[in-house]
Amino acid sequence: MISMRKSIIKMASVLLVVSLVLSSTPISAKSNDYKSNKDKSITFISKKTPATADTYARIIIVNLLKDVVKNPAFYGVTDDISLNNYTLGEAYTIFNVHHDGVIDDTEQYNYPVIVNDKIVLILSVMKNQNNQWSASIAKNEADYLNELAVKSYDDVILYSYDGVLYAETEDNQNVIAKISSNNIITNKYLDSFVGIPYLEKRAILADSNNDIYEVDPYTNLIVDDSNRAKVENIYGYTPGFIIDTSYGKLLDYSNYAVTQNGMNLCWSACAATAINYRAGYKKYTAESLATNLGKDYMNGGSIYDTQSGLNKYGSQTYTTSTSTLPFSTIVSNIGTSKKAIVSGCLTSLSMGHMVLIVGYSTLNNTVQFYNPGTGSGGSSTTYLVIPSNSLVTFDFSYVGYTFTWKESVY
């Protein structure tokens, strides 16, 4: 910590009551005298984040997001946020400046929680009184950062002074949030940190920190597919069966099933139903899953599109087959793994449809399936495929046509 200016005037303490005030005034600036770790138009002057903070952020975010997913409105989140469609942007610093001109060296690093290229929350990682990492998650300045990104402003200093959060560039200084006071301090001194020029502020920050650099919160993401946790049971939920006997099983899927709503989305409705059943709540509709995969609602989807949705947004790993499956595979997937099977079916006229195998009976060699076109279940007897006696198939009737199981996602 260092003293910034000798003539900064000390001000009296006041009783503060928290309230958030947002400003939509744009800010902009350009400067080249700092080391930049990326070539982007929006950057924040920040301290280097320690690796231990990054590691803690990767771990703690999963636990904190459980509550967000269960009650997004409480957190002010309107986006489709789940435990496996988020990532964390690179942390930025908000510098805290005291009345006596000292820059607080408290360790706090703010990680944007990003969903579909939009910052929806801020994960703040900080050292507690026991010198251990702790964390909080809230909306905070998320909307303001998104606003900056749309307008492509850069080289911003974020700092708090006298209960006010400022965003400042070489051209503009704006209040983006503040702690209001019953006693408004009206004295403004040009020699206070708020009053000195932007470039002088940057010089002070550089003098007080050897690791100052520029951060783009939308890039250099620290969470990727290899370490993004896919967490189930956020409600204390365990996937179960409606029927659970020695010879037959039927997944308890009906509360989590979604339909294709008259569109060519049988493939995504099957995948979304399977994902929802494992998660214990309706994470996806047929439409939302198709949107996430960049697929049109009316052009249909392949078994590979279905597999992509299941693997990217679900908690189980799926593979594809251009044939049917042995009855033993149905038994192990449904009975042991509680894993629904997507069945790609054709008519004699090569009309396609997908249903979800959700149960079986070895007593009478039947399978139970969910049809996203009707929104209800059905059963069908199975029969052997020649010449491979290891495979089975089944038929069912839908809109007057006979559909036969031909392909699989399991």
Side-chain angles (χ1 to χ4, degrees):
M1 297 188 296
I2 64 166
S3 177
M4 296 179 302
R5 308 213 8 131
K6 294 181 179 178
S7 57
I8 291 181
I9 306 299
K10 295 184 179 180
M11 300 179 182
S13 299
V14 293
L15 180 63
L16 301 179
V17 179
V18 176
S19 69
L20 183 65
V21 179
L22 296 177
S23 168
S24 59
T25 308
I27 64 177
S28 63
K30 289 187 179 295
S31 180
N32 299 314
D33 59 343
Y34 273 68
K35 178 180 68 175
S36 177
N37 66 334
K38 55 189 71 70
D39 182 20
K40 296 292 181 180
S41 59
I42 176 173
T43 53
F44 295 90
I45 307 304
S46 295
K47 294 191 294 185
K48 182 71 175 179
T49 309
T52 53
D54 287 349
T55 299
Y56 181 78
R58 291 186 182 101
I59 296 170
I60 200 63
I61 183 62
V62 176
N63 292 329
L64 293 178
L65 276 184
K66 289 180 183 179
D67 290 330
V68 177
V69 171
K70 288 188 287 187
N71 190 11
F74 176 77
Y75 292 87
V77 175
T78 58
D79 299 74
D80 178 24
I81 188 169
S82 68
L83 293 172
N84 54 11
N85 74 343
Y86 74 92
T87 189
L88 289 180
E90 190 174 9
Y92 60 89
T93 302
I94 297 176
F95 297 96
N96 186 268
V97 185
H98 293 187
H99 287 171
D100 58 4
V102 174
I103 298 175
D104 195 335
D105 62 355
T106 300
E107 291 192 72
Q108 178 177 317
Y109 306 95
N110 304 290
Y111 297 85
V113 181
I114 299 174
V115 175
N116 297 326
D117 298 322
K118 178 184 177 183
I119 299 175
V120 296
L121 293 164
I122 305 298
L123 172 71
S124 297
V125 171
M126 63 213 84
K127 283 286 183 72
N128 61 25
Q129 294 179 348
N130 297 322
N131 202 36
Q132 296 174 328
W133 291 117
S134 63
S136 66
I137 192 168
K139 191 80 170 178
N140 291 340
E141 61 274 3
D143 289 342
Y144 186 80
L145 298 189
N146 287 316
E147 185 180 308
L148 286 178
V150 170
K151 297 176 180 178
S152 297
Y153 297 108
D154 64 349
D155 288 355
V156 182
I157 300 174
L158 295 174
Y159 64 95
S160 59
Y161 181 85
D162 195 29
V164 179
L165 175 59
Y166 293 90
E168 184 170 345
T169 68
E170 190 168 2
D171 298 327
N172 288 286
Q173 178 188 92
N174 293 275
V175 173
I176 62 175
K178 68 180 180 179
I179 301 172
S180 64
S181 171
N182 293 329
N183 300 315
I184 299 176
I185 299 174
T186 58
N187 293 326
K188 299 293 183 181
Y189 296 92
L190 293 178
D191 55 357
S192 73
F193 187 85
V194 176
I196 64 177
Y198 167 83
L199 292 179
E200 197 169 338
K201 288 185 177 73
R202 290 180 63 132
I204 290 171
L205 296 176
D207 288 342
S208 63
N209 296 273
N210 295 324
D211 55 356
I212 293 294
Y213 75 141
E214 295 178 357
V215 167
D216 179 348
Y218 291 86
T219 62
N220 278 10
L221 306 180
I222 69 164
V223 175
D224 56 29
D225 287 336
S226 64
N227 57 29
R228 180 190 289 113
K230 294 183 176 181
V231 178
E232 296 181 0
N233 304 333
I234 65 170
Y235 294 102
Y237 161 83
T238 300
F241 298 106
I242 299 174
I243 297 174
D244 186 6
T245 69
S246 60
Y247 57 84
K249 309 285 185 183
L250 178 60
L251 301 179
D252 190 8
Y253 74 94
S254 59
N255 288 333
Y256 316 109
V258 297
T259 68
Q260 62 193 78
N261 289 328
M263 294 170 283
N264 294 335
L265 291 175
C266 56
W267 63 277
S268 61
C270 286
T273 298
I275 293 169
N276 294 346
Y277 163 71
R278 290 295 305 187
Y281 68 107
K282 287 187 177 179
K283 293 174 65 175
Y284 298 104
T285 63
E287 295 91 332
S288 67
L289 189 60
T291 298
N292 285 353
L293 294 169
K295 296 289 292 183
D296 184 85
Y297 292 175
M298 298 305 296
N299 289 334
S302 68
I303 59 172
Y304 306 106
D305 296 320
T306 309
Q307 177 196 28
S308 178
L310 286 162
N311 286 343
K312 188 171 183 180
Y313 297 106
S315 61
Q316 294 175 300
T317 300
Y318 277 76
T319 188
T320 60
S321 174
T322 54
S323 66
T324 65
L325 302 173
F327 204 93
S328 60
T329 300
I330 299 175
V331 170
S332 63
N333 273 40
I334 301 294
T336 303
S337 302
K338 299 179 183 177
K339 183 181 181 185
I341 299 169
V342 180
S343 171
C345 308
L346 289 174
T347 69
S348 59
L349 300 176
S350 296
M351 297 174 60
H353 187 55
M354 292 189 193
V355 297
L356 193 66
I357 301 176
V358 292
Y360 67 88
S361 171
T362 59
L363 193 64
N364 54 15
N365 287 339
T366 59
V367 294
Q368 285 72 52
F369 60 89
Y370 167 67
N371 186 344
T374 63
S376 60
S379 293
S380 176
T381 56
T382 65
Y383 58 93
L384 298 177
V385 175
I386 305 297
S388 174
N389 291 336
S390 64
L391 301 178
V392 300
T393 189
F394 65 90
D395 297 329
F396 64 93
S397 177
Y398 175 50
V399 292
Y401 295 93
T402 296
F403 285 85
T404 302
W405 181 19
K406 296 290 186 180
E407 298 179 318
S408 311
V409 188
Y410 68 103

